[in-house]
Amino acid sequence: MPKGVTRRRPQTRARLLESALAAFAELGFHATSIEEICDRAGYTRGAFYSNFASKDELFFALFDENAEKVLERFERAATEIDPSATWQQQIATVLAAAGPGDRNWYLTSMEFSLHAIRDPRAAAILAEHDAKLRAALTGIVAGIFDRFGLALTIDPDLFARLVVAIREGGRAQSYVEPDRLGLGELERLFLPMVLEAVSTTD
């Protein structure tokens, strides 16, 4: 491959990912064609297929990109929590952290999850990516627990699954009724109770 093309490839890939996420959020994962993504990005189908084998593969690249941003947000929130709050409130605040691009990703990931439920192959790959994200999340939570001399009394992976369930369920309701339920409100309200129930002095 010519050197010029090689240097442009990361930029091309990033532009395709950005355009795909916007299209998925606006039109839906299934309704968005590869042509639509390419048109928005200003590239040809050849550029798409030189970076991704399919829309599914592109989605998982978006998943990994978003997971990195989410974990960075959690880690940053963990260093900025209010020391005057209770440890339960501090941890809940970290787990409720939201970002400006959350809505587009939520719309895209929820639709893909429905697709994966119907497609065992997609489900298996999604489960692998979910597991890596949960493992990283439990690592962050474990660090905060250590700071307070605490330990979970349940399987950390199950705890991470519960946190994800509360976050995703809460966001669904917040996006439907933004004037009634703020983003992260359910996490900040109920996770302290959950944390109290599943933790003990280490």
Coordinates of all heavy atoms in Angstrom, one line a residue, residues 56-144:
D56 N -21.3 -5.0 11.2 CA -21.1 -5.6 12.6 C -19.7 -5.3 13.1 O -19.5 -4.9 14.2 CB -21.4 -7.1 12.6 CG -22.8 -7.5 12.6 OD1 -23.7 -6.6 12.3 OD2 -23.2 -8.6 13.0
E57 N -18.7 -5.5 12.2 CA -17.4 -5.3 12.6 C -17.2 -3.8 12.9 O -16.5 -3.4 13.9 CB -16.4 -5.7 11.5 CG -14.9 -5.5 11.9 CD -14.0 -6.0 10.8 OE1 -14.0 -7.3 10.6 OE2 -13.2 -5.2 10.3
L58 N -17.8 -2.9 12.2 CA -17.7 -1.5 12.5 C -18.3 -1.2 13.8 O -17.8 -0.4 14.6 CB -18.4 -0.7 11.4 CG -18.4 0.9 11.5 CD1 -18.4 1.5 10.1 CD2 -19.6 1.4 12.3
F59 N -19.5 -1.8 14.1 CA -20.1 -1.6 15.4 C -19.2 -2.0 16.6 O -19.1 -1.2 17.5 CB -21.4 -2.4 15.5 CG -21.9 -2.4 17.0 CD1 -22.7 -1.4 17.4 CD2 -21.6 -3.5 17.8 CE1 -23.1 -1.3 18.7 CE2 -22.1 -3.4 19.2 CZ -22.8 -2.4 19.6
F60 N -18.5 -3.1 16.4 CA -17.6 -3.5 17.5 C -16.4 -2.6 17.7 O -15.9 -2.4 18.8 CB -17.2 -4.9 17.4 CG -18.3 -5.9 17.6 CD1 -18.8 -6.7 16.6 CD2 -18.9 -6.0 18.9 CE1 -19.8 -7.6 16.9 CE2 -20.0 -6.8 19.1 CZ -20.4 -7.6 18.2
A61 N -16.0 -1.9 16.6 CA -15.0 -0.9 16.7 C -15.5 0.3 17.4 O -14.8 0.9 18.3 CB -14.5 -0.5 15.3
L62 N -16.7 0.6 17.2 CA -17.4 1.7 17.9 C -17.5 1.3 19.4 O -17.4 2.2 20.3 CB -18.8 2.0 17.3 CG -18.8 2.9 16.1 CD1 -20.3 2.9 15.5 CD2 -18.4 4.3 16.3
F63 N -17.9 0.1 19.7 CA -18.0 -0.4 21.0 C -16.7 -0.2 21.8 O -16.7 0.4 22.9 CB -18.4 -1.9 21.0 CG -18.7 -2.5 22.4 CD1 -19.9 -2.8 22.8 CD2 -17.6 -2.7 23.3 CE1 -20.2 -3.3 24.0 CE2 -17.9 -3.2 24.5 CZ -19.2 -3.5 24.9
D64 N -15.6 -0.6 21.2 CA -14.3 -0.5 21.9 C -13.9 1.0 22.1 O -13.4 1.3 23.1 CB -13.2 -1.2 21.1 CG -13.4 -2.7 21.1 OD1 -14.1 -3.3 22.0 OD2 -12.9 -3.4 20.2
E65 N -14.2 1.8 21.1 CA -13.9 3.2 21.2 C -14.8 3.8 22.4 O -14.2 4.6 23.2 CB -14.2 3.9 19.9 CG -13.9 5.4 19.8 CD -14.2 6.0 18.5 OE1 -15.4 6.2 18.2 OE2 -13.2 6.2 17.7
N66 N -16.0 3.5 22.4 CA -16.9 4.0 23.5 C -16.5 3.5 24.8 O -16.5 4.2 25.8 CB -18.4 3.7 23.2 CG -19.3 4.3 24.2 OD1 -19.6 5.5 24.2 ND2 -19.8 3.5 25.1
A67 N -16.2 2.2 24.9 CA -15.8 1.6 26.2 C -14.5 2.3 26.8 O -14.5 2.6 28.0 CB -15.4 0.1 26.0
E68 N -13.6 2.7 25.9 CA -12.4 3.4 26.4 C -12.8 4.8 26.9 O -12.3 5.2 28.0 CB -11.4 3.6 25.2 CG -10.1 4.3 25.6 CD -9.1 4.3 24.4 OE1 -9.4 3.7 23.4 OE2 -8.2 5.1 24.5
K69 N -13.7 5.5 26.3 CA -14.2 6.8 26.8 C -14.9 6.6 28.1 O -14.7 7.5 29.0 CB -15.1 7.4 25.7 CG -14.4 7.9 24.5 CD -15.4 8.4 23.5 CE -14.7 8.8 22.2 NZ -15.7 9.3 21.2
V70 N -15.7 5.6 28.2 CA -16.5 5.4 29.5 C -15.6 5.1 30.6 O -15.7 5.7 31.7 CB -17.5 4.3 29.3 CG1 -18.1 3.8 30.6 CG2 -18.6 4.7 28.4
L71 N -14.6 4.3 30.4 CA -13.7 3.9 31.5 C -12.8 5.1 31.9 O -12.5 5.3 33.1 CB -12.8 2.8 31.0 CG -13.5 1.4 30.8 CD1 -12.6 0.4 30.2 CD2 -14.1 0.9 32.2
E72 N -12.4 5.9 30.9 CA -11.6 7.1 31.2 C -12.5 8.1 32.0 O -12.0 8.7 33.0 CB -11.2 7.8 29.9 CG -10.1 7.1 29.2 CD -9.7 7.8 27.9 OE1 -10.4 8.8 27.5 OE2 -8.8 7.3 27.2
R73 N -13.8 8.2 31.7 CA -14.7 9.0 32.4 C -14.9 8.5 33.9 O -14.9 9.3 34.8 CB -16.1 9.0 31.7 CG -17.1 10.1 32.2 CD -18.4 9.9 31.5 NE -18.2 9.9 30.1 CZ -19.0 9.2 29.3 NH1 -20.0 8.5 29.7 NH2 -18.8 9.2 28.0
F74 N -15.0 7.2 34.1 CA -15.1 6.7 35.4 C -13.9 6.9 36.2 O -13.9 7.3 37.4 CB -15.4 5.1 35.4 CG -16.8 4.8 35.0 CD1 -17.1 3.5 34.6 CD2 -17.8 5.7 35.0 CE1 -18.4 3.1 34.2 CE2 -19.1 5.3 34.6 CZ -19.4 4.0 34.2
E75 N -12.7 6.7 35.6 CA -11.4 6.9 36.3 C -11.3 8.4 36.7 O -10.8 8.7 37.8 CB -10.3 6.5 35.4 CG -10.2 4.9 35.3 CD -9.2 4.5 34.2 OE1 -8.7 5.4 33.5 OE2 -8.9 3.3 34.2
R76 N -11.7 9.3 35.8 CA -11.6 10.7 36.1 C -12.5 11.1 37.2 O -12.2 11.8 38.1 CB -11.9 11.5 34.8 CG -11.7 13.0 35.0 CD -11.7 13.8 33.7 NE -13.0 13.6 33.0 CZ -13.1 12.8 31.9 NH1 -12.0 12.2 31.4 NH2 -14.2 12.7 31.3
A77 N -13.7 10.5 37.1 CA -14.7 10.8 38.2 C -14.3 10.3 39.5 O -14.5 10.9 40.6 CB -16.1 10.2 37.8
A78 N -13.5 9.2 39.5 CA -13.0 8.6 40.8 C -12.0 9.5 41.5 O -11.8 9.5 42.7 CB -12.4 7.3 40.5
T79 N -11.3 10.4 40.7 CA -10.4 11.3 41.3 C -11.0 12.6 41.7 O -10.3 13.5 42.3 CB -9.2 11.6 40.3 OG1 -9.7 12.3 39.2 CG2 -8.6 10.3 39.9
E80 N -12.2 12.9 41.3 CA -12.9 14.2 41.5 C -14.0 14.1 42.5 O -14.7 15.1 42.6 CB -13.4 14.7 40.1 CG -12.2 15.0 39.1 CD -12.8 15.4 37.8 OE1 -14.0 15.3 37.5 OE2 -12.0 15.8 36.9
I81 N -14.3 12.9 43.1 CA -15.4 12.8 43.9 C -15.3 13.6 45.2 O -14.2 13.9 45.7 CB -15.7 11.3 44.3 CG1 -14.4 10.6 44.8 CG2 -16.3 10.6 43.2 CD1 -14.5 9.2 45.1
D82 N -16.4 14.0 45.7 CA -16.5 14.9 46.9 C -16.1 14.1 48.2 O -16.9 13.2 48.6 CB -17.9 15.5 47.0 CG -18.0 16.4 48.2 OD1 -17.0 16.7 48.9 OD2 -19.1 16.9 48.4
P83 N -15.0 14.4 48.8 CA -14.6 13.7 50.0 C -15.5 13.8 51.2 O -15.5 13.1 52.2 CB -13.2 14.2 50.3 CG -13.2 15.6 49.7 CD -14.0 15.5 48.5
S84 N -16.4 14.9 51.1 CA -17.3 15.1 52.2 C -18.6 14.2 52.2 O -19.3 14.0 53.1 CB -17.8 16.5 52.3 OG -18.6 16.8 51.2
A85 N -18.8 13.5 51.0 CA -19.9 12.6 50.8 C -19.6 11.3 51.4 O -18.4 10.9 51.6 CB -20.2 12.5 49.3
T86 N -20.6 10.5 51.7 CA -20.4 9.1 52.2 C -19.7 8.3 51.1 O -19.8 8.6 49.9 CB -21.7 8.5 52.6 OG1 -22.5 8.3 51.4 CG2 -22.5 9.3 53.6
W87 N -19.1 7.2 51.5 CA -18.4 6.3 50.5 C -19.4 5.8 49.5 O -19.1 5.6 48.3 CB -17.6 5.2 51.2 CG -18.5 4.2 51.9 CD1 -18.8 4.2 53.2 CD2 -19.1 3.0 51.3 NE1 -19.5 3.1 53.6 CE2 -19.7 2.3 52.4 CE3 -19.1 2.5 50.1 CZ2 -20.4 1.1 52.2 CZ3 -19.8 1.3 49.9 CH2 -20.4 0.6 50.9
Q88 N -20.7 5.5 50.0 CA -21.7 5.0 49.1 C -22.0 6.0 48.0 O -22.2 5.7 46.8 CB -23.0 4.6 49.9 CG -22.8 3.5 50.9 CD -22.5 4.0 52.3 OE1 -22.0 5.1 52.4 NE2 -23.0 3.3 53.3
Q89 N -22.2 7.3 48.4 CA -22.5 8.3 47.5 C -21.4 8.6 46.5 O -21.6 8.8 45.3 CB -22.9 9.6 48.3 CG -24.2 9.5 49.1 CD -24.3 10.7 50.0 OE1 -23.3 11.3 50.5 NE2 -25.6 11.2 50.2
Q90 N -20.2 8.5 47.0 CA -19.0 8.7 46.2 C -18.9 7.7 45.1 O -18.7 8.0 43.9 CB -17.7 8.7 47.0 CG -17.6 9.9 48.0 CD -16.3 10.0 48.7 OE1 -15.3 9.9 48.1 NE2 -16.4 10.1 50.0
I91 N -19.1 6.4 45.4 CA -19.0 5.3 44.4 C -20.1 5.5 43.5 O -20.0 5.3 42.2 CB -19.0 4.0 45.1 CG1 -17.7 3.8 46.0 CG2 -19.0 2.9 44.0 CD1 -17.7 2.5 46.8
A92 N -21.3 5.7 44.0 CA -22.5 5.9 43.1 C -22.3 7.0 42.1 O -22.7 6.9 40.9 CB -23.8 6.1 43.9
T93 N -21.7 8.1 42.5 CA -21.4 9.3 41.7 C -20.5 8.9 40.5 O -20.7 9.3 39.4 CB -20.8 10.4 42.5 OG1 -21.8 10.9 43.4 CG2 -20.4 11.6 41.5
V94 N -19.5 8.1 40.8 CA -18.6 7.6 39.8 C -19.3 6.7 38.8 O -19.2 6.9 37.5 CB -17.4 6.8 40.4 CG1 -16.6 6.1 39.3 CG2 -16.5 7.6 41.3
L95 N -20.1 5.8 39.2 CA -20.8 4.9 38.4 C -22.0 5.6 37.6 O -22.4 5.0 36.6 CB -21.4 3.7 39.2 CG -20.4 2.8 39.9 CD1 -21.0 1.8 40.7 CD2 -19.4 2.2 38.8
A96 N -22.4 6.7 38.0 CA -23.5 7.5 37.3 C -22.9 8.5 36.3 O -23.7 9.1 35.5 CB -24.3 8.2 38.3
A97 N -21.6 8.6 36.2 CA -21.0 9.6 35.3 C -21.5 9.4 33.9 O -21.5 8.3 33.3 CB -19.5 9.5 35.4
A98 N -21.8 10.5 33.3 CA -22.3 10.5 31.9 C -21.5 11.5 31.0 O -20.8 12.4 31.5 CB -23.8 10.9 31.9
G99 N -21.6 11.3 29.7 CA -20.8 12.1 28.8 C -21.7 12.7 27.7 O -22.9 12.2 27.5
P100 N -21.2 13.6 26.9 CA -22.1 14.3 25.9 C -22.5 13.4 24.8 O -23.5 13.6 24.1 CB -21.1 15.4 25.4 CG -19.7 15.0 25.7 CD -19.9 14.2 27.0
G101 N -21.7 12.3 24.5 CA -22.1 11.5 23.4 C -22.9 10.2 23.8 O -23.2 9.3 23.0
D102 N -23.4 10.2 25.0 CA -24.0 9.0 25.5 C -25.3 8.7 24.8 O -25.6 7.5 24.6 CB -24.4 9.2 27.0 CG -23.2 8.8 27.9 OD1 -22.1 8.6 27.3 OD2 -23.3 8.8 29.1
R103 N -26.1 9.7 24.4 CA -27.4 9.4 23.8 C -27.2 8.7 22.5 O -27.9 7.7 22.2 CB -28.2 10.7 23.5 CG -29.6 10.5 23.0 CD -30.3 11.8 22.8 NE -31.7 11.5 22.4 CZ -32.1 11.3 21.2 NH1 -31.2 11.3 20.2 NH2 -33.4 11.1 20.9
N104 N -26.3 9.1 21.6 CA -26.1 8.5 20.3 C -25.6 7.0 20.5 O -26.1 6.1 19.8 CB -25.1 9.2 19.5 CG -25.7 10.4 18.8 OD1 -26.9 10.7 18.9 ND2 -24.9 11.2 18.0
W105 N -24.7 6.8 21.5 CA -24.2 5.5 21.7 C -25.3 4.6 22.3 O -25.4 3.4 21.9 CB -23.0 5.5 22.6 CG -22.6 4.1 23.0 CD1 -22.6 3.5 24.2 CD2 -22.1 3.1 22.0 NE1 -22.2 2.2 24.1 CE2 -21.9 1.9 22.7 CE3 -21.9 3.1 20.7 CZ2 -21.4 0.7 22.1 CZ3 -21.4 1.9 20.1 CH2 -21.2 0.8 20.8
Y106 N -26.1 5.2 23.2 CA -27.2 4.4 23.7 C -28.2 3.9 22.7 O -28.5 2.7 22.6 CB -28.0 5.2 24.8 CG -29.1 4.4 25.4 CD1 -28.8 3.6 26.6 CD2 -30.4 4.4 24.9 CE1 -29.8 2.9 27.2 CE2 -31.4 3.7 25.5 CZ -31.1 2.9 26.6 OH -32.1 2.1 27.2
L107 N -28.6 4.8 21.8 CA -29.5 4.4 20.7 C -28.9 3.3 19.8 O -29.6 2.3 19.5 CB -29.8 5.6 19.8 CG -30.7 6.7 20.5 CD1 -30.7 7.9 19.6 CD2 -32.1 6.2 20.7
T108 N -27.6 3.4 19.5 CA -26.9 2.5 18.7 C -26.7 1.1 19.4 O -27.0 0.1 18.8 CB -25.6 3.0 18.2 OG1 -25.7 4.2 17.5 CG2 -24.8 2.0 17.4
S109 N -26.3 1.1 20.6 CA -26.0 -0.1 21.3 C -27.2 -0.9 21.7 O -27.2 -2.1 21.6 CB -25.2 0.2 22.6 OG -25.9 1.0 23.5
M110 N -28.3 -0.2 22.0 CA -29.5 -0.9 22.3 C -30.1 -1.6 21.1 O -30.6 -2.7 21.2 CB -30.6 0.1 22.9 CG -30.3 0.6 24.3 SD -30.3 -0.8 25.5 CE -28.5 -1.0 25.7
E111 N -30.1 -0.9 19.9 CA -30.6 -1.6 18.7 C -29.7 -2.8 18.4 O -30.2 -3.8 18.0 CB -30.7 -0.6 17.6 CG -31.3 -1.2 16.3 CD -31.5 -0.3 15.2 OE1 -31.1 0.9 15.3 OE2 -32.0 -0.7 14.1
F112 N -28.4 -2.6 18.5 CA -27.5 -3.7 18.2 C -27.7 -4.9 19.1 O -27.6 -6.1 18.7 CB -26.0 -3.3 18.2 CG -25.1 -4.4 17.6 CD1 -24.9 -4.4 16.2 CD2 -24.6 -5.4 18.4 CE1 -24.1 -5.4 15.7 CE2 -23.8 -6.4 17.8 CZ -23.5 -6.4 16.5
S113 N -28.0 -4.6 20.4 CA -28.3 -5.7 21.4 C -29.5 -6.5 20.9 O -29.5 -7.7 21.1 CB -28.5 -5.1 22.8 OG -27.3 -4.5 23.3
L114 N -30.5 -5.8 20.4 CA -31.7 -6.6 19.9 C -31.3 -7.4 18.7 O -31.7 -8.6 18.6 CB -32.8 -5.6 19.5 CG -33.4 -4.8 20.7 CD1 -34.4 -3.8 20.1 CD2 -34.1 -5.7 21.7
H115 N -30.5 -6.9 17.9 CA -29.9 -7.7 16.7 C -29.2 -8.9 17.2 O -29.4 -10.0 16.7 CB -29.0 -6.7 15.9 CG -28.1 -7.5 14.9 ND1 -28.6 -8.2 13.9 CD2 -26.8 -7.5 14.9 CE1 -27.5 -8.7 13.2 NE2 -26.4 -8.3 13.8
A116 N -28.3 -8.7 18.3 CA -27.5 -9.8 18.8 C -28.4 -10.9 19.4 O -28.1 -12.1 19.3 CB -26.5 -9.3 19.8
I117 N -29.5 -10.5 20.0 CA -30.4 -11.5 20.7 C -31.0 -12.4 19.6 O -31.2 -13.6 19.8 CB -31.5 -10.8 21.4 CG1 -31.0 -10.0 22.7 CG2 -32.6 -11.7 21.8 CD1 -32.0 -9.1 23.3
R118 N -31.1 -11.9 18.4 CA -31.7 -12.7 17.3 C -30.6 -13.5 16.5 O -30.9 -14.4 15.7 CB -32.4 -11.8 16.3 CG -33.6 -11.1 16.9 CD -34.4 -10.3 15.9 NE -35.5 -9.5 16.4 CZ -35.4 -8.2 16.7 NH1 -34.3 -7.6 16.5 NH2 -36.5 -7.6 17.2
D119 N -29.3 -13.0 16.7 CA -28.2 -13.6 15.9 C -27.2 -14.2 16.9 O -26.4 -13.4 17.5 CB -27.6 -12.5 15.0 CG -26.5 -13.0 14.1 OD1 -25.9 -14.0 14.4 OD2 -26.2 -12.3 13.1
P120 N -27.1 -15.5 17.0 CA -26.2 -16.1 18.0 C -24.7 -15.7 17.8 O -24.0 -15.6 18.7 CB -26.4 -17.6 17.8 CG -27.8 -17.7 17.3 CD -28.0 -16.5 16.4
R121 N -24.3 -15.6 16.5 CA -22.9 -15.2 16.3 C -22.6 -13.8 16.8 O -21.6 -13.6 17.5 CB -22.6 -15.3 14.8 CG -21.2 -14.9 14.4 CD -21.0 -15.0 12.9 NE -19.7 -14.4 12.6 CZ -19.4 -13.1 12.4 NH1 -20.3 -12.2 12.6 NH2 -18.2 -12.7 12.1
A122 N -23.5 -12.9 16.5 CA -23.3 -11.5 17.0 C -23.4 -11.5 18.5 O -22.7 -10.7 19.1 CB -24.4 -10.6 16.4
A123 N -24.3 -12.3 19.1 CA -24.4 -12.3 20.5 C -23.1 -12.8 21.2 O -22.7 -12.2 22.2 CB -25.6 -13.3 20.9
A124 N -22.5 -13.8 20.6 CA -21.3 -14.3 21.2 C -20.2 -13.3 21.2 O -19.4 -13.1 22.2 CB -20.8 -15.6 20.4
I125 N -20.1 -12.5 20.1 CA -19.0 -11.5 20.0 C -19.3 -10.3 21.0 O -18.5 -9.8 21.6 CB -18.9 -11.0 18.6 CG1 -18.5 -12.1 17.6 CG2 -17.8 -9.9 18.5 CD1 -18.5 -11.8 16.2
L126 N -20.6 -10.0 21.0 CA -21.0 -8.9 21.9 C -20.8 -9.3 23.4 O -20.3 -8.4 24.2 CB -22.5 -8.6 21.7 CG -23.1 -7.4 22.6 CD1 -22.3 -6.1 22.4 CD2 -24.6 -7.3 22.3
A127 N -21.0 -10.5 23.7 CA -20.8 -11.0 25.1 C -19.3 -10.9 25.4 O -19.0 -10.5 26.6 CB -21.3 -12.4 25.2
E128 N -18.4 -11.2 24.5 CA -17.0 -11.0 24.8 C -16.6 -9.6 25.0 O -15.8 -9.3 26.0 CB -16.2 -11.6 23.6 CG -16.3 -13.1 23.3 CD -15.6 -13.5 22.1 OE1 -15.0 -12.7 21.4 OE2 -15.6 -14.7 21.8
H129 N -17.1 -8.7 24.2 CA -16.8 -7.3 24.4 C -17.4 -6.7 25.7 O -16.8 -6.0 26.5 CB -17.3 -6.4 23.2 CG -16.5 -6.5 22.0 ND1 -16.4 -7.6 21.2 CD2 -15.7 -5.6 21.4 CE1 -15.6 -7.4 20.2 NE2 -15.1 -6.2 20.3
D130 N -18.6 -7.2 26.0 CA -19.3 -6.8 27.3 C -18.4 -7.3 28.5 O -18.3 -6.6 29.5 CB -20.7 -7.4 27.4 CG -21.7 -6.6 26.6 OD1 -21.4 -5.4 26.3 OD2 -22.8 -7.1 26.3
A131 N -17.9 -8.5 28.4 CA -17.1 -9.1 29.5 C -15.9 -8.3 29.8 O -15.5 -8.0 30.9 CB -16.8 -10.5 29.2
K132 N -15.2 -7.9 28.7 CA -14.0 -7.1 28.8 C -14.3 -5.7 29.5 O -13.5 -5.2 30.4 CB -13.3 -6.8 27.5 CG -12.7 -8.1 26.9 CD -12.1 -7.8 25.5 CE -11.6 -9.0 24.9 NZ -11.0 -8.8 23.5
L133 N -15.4 -5.1 29.1 CA -15.8 -3.8 29.7 C -16.1 -4.0 31.2 O -15.7 -3.2 32.0 CB -17.0 -3.2 29.0 CG -17.5 -1.9 29.5 CD1 -16.4 -0.8 29.6 CD2 -18.7 -1.4 28.6
R134 N -16.9 -5.1 31.5 CA -17.2 -5.3 32.9 C -16.0 -5.6 33.8 O -15.9 -5.1 34.9 CB -18.2 -6.5 33.0 CG -19.6 -6.2 32.6 CD -20.5 -7.3 33.1 NE -20.1 -8.6 32.8 CZ -20.4 -9.3 31.7 NH1 -21.0 -8.7 30.7 NH2 -19.9 -10.5 31.5
A135 N -15.0 -6.3 33.2 CA -13.8 -6.6 33.9 C -13.0 -5.3 34.3 O -12.5 -5.1 35.4 CB -12.9 -7.5 33.1
A136 N -13.0 -4.4 33.3 CA -12.3 -3.1 33.5 C -13.1 -2.3 34.5 O -12.5 -1.6 35.4 CB -12.2 -2.3 32.2
L137 N -14.4 -2.3 34.5 CA -15.3 -1.6 35.4 C -15.0 -2.1 36.8 O -14.9 -1.3 37.8 CB -16.7 -1.7 35.0 CG -17.8 -1.2 36.0 CD1 -17.6 0.3 36.2 CD2 -19.2 -1.5 35.5
T138 N -15.0 -3.4 37.0 CA -14.8 -4.0 38.3 C -13.4 -3.6 38.9 O -13.3 -3.5 40.1 CB -15.0 -5.5 38.3 OG1 -14.1 -6.1 37.4 CG2 -16.4 -5.9 38.0
G139 N -12.5 -3.5 38.0 CA -11.1 -3.1 38.5 C -11.2 -1.7 39.1 O -10.5 -1.4 40.1
I140 N -11.9 -0.8 38.4 CA -12.0 0.6 38.9 C -12.8 0.6 40.2 O -12.4 1.3 41.2 CB -12.8 1.5 37.9 CG1 -11.9 1.6 36.6 CG2 -13.1 2.9 38.5 CD1 -12.6 2.3 35.5
V141 N -13.9 -0.1 40.3 CA -14.7 -0.2 41.5 C -13.8 -0.8 42.7 O -13.9 -0.3 43.8 CB -15.9 -1.0 41.3 CG1 -16.7 -1.3 42.7 CG2 -16.9 -0.3 40.4
A142 N -13.0 -1.8 42.4 CA -12.2 -2.5 43.4 C -11.2 -1.5 44.0 O -10.9 -1.5 45.2 CB -11.5 -3.7 42.8
G143 N -10.7 -0.6 43.1 CA -9.7 0.4 43.6 C -10.4 1.4 44.5 O -9.8 1.8 45.5
I144 N -11.6 1.7 44.2 CA -12.3 2.6 45.1 C -12.7 1.9 46.5 O -12.5 2.5 47.5 CB -13.6 3.2 44.5 CG1 -13.3 3.9 43.2 CG2 -14.4 4.1 45.4 CD1 -14.5 4.3 42.4

